[in-house]
Amino acid sequence: MAKRVSTKDKILNAAEALFAEHGFEQTSLRQITADAEVNLASVNYHFGSKKALIQAVMARYLEVLMPALERELIQLAEQPQVSTRAVFDCFRAPLNELREVRKHGPTIFLSLLGYAYADIQGHLRRYTMDHFGDVMQRLLATLHLANPQLSPVDMFWRLHFVLGATVFAQVSGPALREIAAADFGEAIEADQVIDRLIPFLAGGVDALTE
Amino acid sequence: MAKRVSTKDKILNAAEALFAEHGFEQTSLRQITADAEVNLASVNYHFGSKKALIQAVMARYLEVLMPALERELIQLAEQPQVSTRAVFDCFRAPLNELREVRKHGPTIFLSLLGYAYADIQGHLRRYTMDHFGDVMQRLLATLHLANPQLSPVDMFWRLHFVLGATVFAQVSGPALREIAAADFGEAIEADQVIDRLIPFLAGGVDALTE
DNA sequence: TTTAAATTAAAACGCATGTTTAAAATGTGC
DNA sequence: GCACATTTTAAACATGCGTTTTAATTTAAA
């Protein structure tokens, strides 16, 4: 008794898996529709274009993550003391909530975000900026609470270094985990990468300016 | 009296500029040969394939940077004390030497490196790993001198976070500099991004493990 | 100057992409 | 059960890509 899944959802599920593994540009509609076992034309019928499909895939996660992250940041800002580490820890719970979207939601989303950011010139920059813009502003403000000694422009740059390390670690994650397992005999899960990442990021943001 | 430039060099120059701005996959041979004002087929005639052209573009910089970086790292390892910051400062002189290859050599090279790394699945991963492998080992070893309290696998991950932040900062650099200039009225040069980056990286590597 | 090699040039090839079309099939409300 | 809207299907379309081919041209050696 297989449960009926709509063509639209079949496409979204197949697309997000392929996008997370190979990136947006590297994934063709033919691969997606083959995996989803639907007709090629149904993507354009249901979503209009590949661009719109990409945004729909991202939206499923953003609509869960963004309100949760904003909630955490607002809550943190009410504390008398705010540390850089506490700011980054704000991401933990919202990312974990993505598990409700999908089992490996946190990993998938971060991979997608990585590819979205890597696609510098593309339409995704504007799209993600439109959705991330206000949260980024709040992030900057909260980080400034934690590091009042850093100028806004200093914090701007460090926040983007943080983003860079994060999305890059995630995109390179599978290959790196493979290398690490081979070289150090220590296989870590994808989810644990962020545990290694957060202390690094906090240390970088807190570093003294030169 | 215009100086004669060989077709091969015209292609290399046009290709590296387009690659650094748009990435490897996003740049077509037709764009390159149009900019270089040479025939489309000359790329395959002189280089054999687009892959080989990409490698030739990278090689011009790698052949200058790698020996210089190795020299610096060897020299540093002879010191009685090695700090993380000192390790990253080892990159400054070798990167600056790329100015002899081209005026904006350091910036161009880091952009190329960013795209090379972003191209996870591609042939460039193997190519760059082949050329970077031993230097990466030396980097790991030198960083371990600076941070004996970190385990090799910890250092492995942090080094890749470093790489991620670096290449991402460079690829996103132009867009970010634009935003920074608009939001903070402060336009910084591409070369200065690395001055902001190095303290961040050193702080991240030196951070306490959780 | 002649002859052979190296280079440039224009055109086409084969392939993959996103998209559109038009007909067939399915579902839905009366 | 009919009529209409929705969805699925197969095929073709238009475009851009890296590459190859073949001939013309330039260069260099004899």
Side-chain angles (χ1 to χ4, degrees):
Chain A
M1 181 182 285
K3 56 178 84 171
R4 291 269 306 157
V5 181
S6 71
T7 297
K8 208 166 173 175
D9 283 339
K10 281 199 245 175
I11 293 170
L12 282 172
N13 294 338
E16 91 167 18
L18 288 167
F19 286 157
E21 191 171 1
H22 303 112
F24 299 107
E25 311 246 341
Q26 318 297 331
T27 303
S28 71
L29 295 185
R30 282 168 175 81
Q31 289 176 260
I32 293 168
T33 52
D35 277 27
E37 294 180 328
V38 300
N39 190 271
L40 168 62
S42 51
V43 170
N44 289 279
Y45 175 76
H46 285 287
F47 297 94
S49 68
K50 185 182 180 182
K51 282 187 183 184
L53 171 61
I54 292 172
Q55 296 187 353
V57 168
M58 293 301 291
R60 285 207 295 189
Y61 289 99
L62 291 173
E63 283 163 12
V64 172
L65 182 95
M66 286 300 143
L69 177 59
E70 190 155 44
R71 184 212 319 135
E72 296 282 334
L73 289 175
I74 288 171
Q75 190 176 324
L76 178 66
E78 290 167 357
Q79 303 296 318
Q81 282 290 332
V82 176
S83 70
T84 301
R85 178 57 185 273
V87 176
F88 289 123
D89 282 334
C90 281
F91 283 83
R92 301 189 109 101
L95 275 173
N96 258 318
E97 285 183 34
L98 298 184
R99 241 173 270 279
E100 295 162 18
V101 179
R102 190 161 308 282
K103 189 182 170 189
H104 294 102
T107 302
I108 292 171
F109 172 73
L110 287 175
S111 292
L112 294 173
L113 188 60
Y115 283 115
Y117 253 83
D119 187 357
I120 300 293
Q121 309 257 40
H123 58 102
L124 262 174
R125 186 167 193 94
R126 167 156 297 278
Y127 177 77
T128 53
M129 274 302 176
D130 287 352
H131 286 70
F132 274 87
D134 52 337
V135 181
M136 289 283 269
Q137 290 298 332
R138 188 177 297 280
L139 247 183
L140 273 172
T142 315
L143 281 170
H144 190 65
L145 287 179
N147 294 80
Q149 82 284 359
L150 287 180
S151 71
V153 63
D154 278 333
M155 190 55 85
F156 169 85
W157 279 101
R158 292 196 173 184
L159 178 55
H160 280 92
F161 297 155
V162 162
L163 260 173
T166 304
V167 303
F168 201 88
Q170 209 61 37
V171 170
S172 304
L176 293 182
R177 292 213 318 280
E178 211 171 285
I179 296 171
D183 287 10
F184 305 102
E186 182 179 355
I188 76 171
E189 290 297 311
D191 298 6
Q192 295 178 269
V193 174
I194 202 163
D195 293 328
R196 293 184 176 276
L197 186 59
I198 285 182
F200 173 88
L201 299 179
V205 172
D206 284 341
L208 298 174
T209 51
E210 121 155 350
Chain B
M1 179 181 285
K3 57 177 82 170
R4 291 267 306 158
V5 180
S6 72
T7 298
K8 207 166 176 176
D9 283 339
K10 280 199 246 177
I11 293 171
L12 282 172
N13 294 338
E16 89 166 19
L18 287 167
F19 287 156
E21 191 171 2
H22 303 113
F24 299 108
E25 311 245 341
Q26 319 296 332
T27 302
S28 71
L29 295 185
R30 283 169 176 81
Q31 288 176 262
I32 293 169
T33 51
D35 276 27
E37 295 180 329
V38 302
N39 189 272
L40 168 63
S42 52
V43 170
N44 288 280
Y45 175 76
H46 285 288
F47 297 93
S49 67
K50 186 182 179 181
K51 282 187 182 183
L53 170 62
I54 292 172
Q55 296 188 355
V57 168
M58 293 301 290
R60 285 208 294 191
Y61 288 99
L62 291 173
E63 282 163 12
V64 173
L65 182 95
M66 286 302 143
L69 177 59
E70 191 154 44
R71 185 210 321 132
E72 295 282 333
L73 289 175
I74 289 171
Q75 189 176 327
L76 179 66
E78 291 168 357
Q79 302 296 319
Q81 282 289 332
V82 176
S83 70
T84 301
R85 177 57 184 271
V87 177
F88 289 123
D89 282 334
C90 281
F91 283 84
R92 300 191 108 102
L95 275 173
N96 258 317
E97 284 183 34
L98 299 184
R99 240 172 270 280
E100 294 163 17
V101 179
R102 191 161 308 282
K103 189 182 171 189
H104 294 102
T107 302
I108 292 171
F109 171 73
L110 287 175
S111 291
L112 294 173
L113 187 60
Y115 282 115
Y117 254 83
D119 186 359
I120 300 293
Q121 309 257 41
H123 64 282
L124 261 175
R125 185 166 194 94
R126 170 157 293 281
Y127 177 79
T128 54
M129 274 301 177
D130 287 351
H131 285 70
F132 274 87
D134 52 338
V135 181
M136 289 282 269
Q137 290 297 334
R138 189 178 296 279
L139 245 184
L140 273 172
T142 314
L143 281 170
H144 190 64
L145 286 180
N147 294 80
Q149 81 283 1
L150 286 180
S151 71
V153 64
D154 277 334
M155 190 56 86
F156 169 84
W157 280 101
R158 291 195 172 185
L159 178 55
H160 280 92
F161 297 154
V162 162
L163 260 174
T166 303
V167 302
F168 201 87
Q170 209 60 37
V171 170
S172 305
L176 293 182
R177 292 213 318 281
E178 212 171 284
I179 296 171
D183 288 10
F184 304 103
E186 182 179 353
I188 76 172
E189 289 298 310
D191 298 6
Q192 294 178 271
V193 174
I194 203 163
D195 293 328
R196 293 182 176 277
L197 186 59
I198 285 182
F200 173 90
L201 300 179
V205 172
D206 284 341
L208 299 175
T209 52
E210 123 155 349

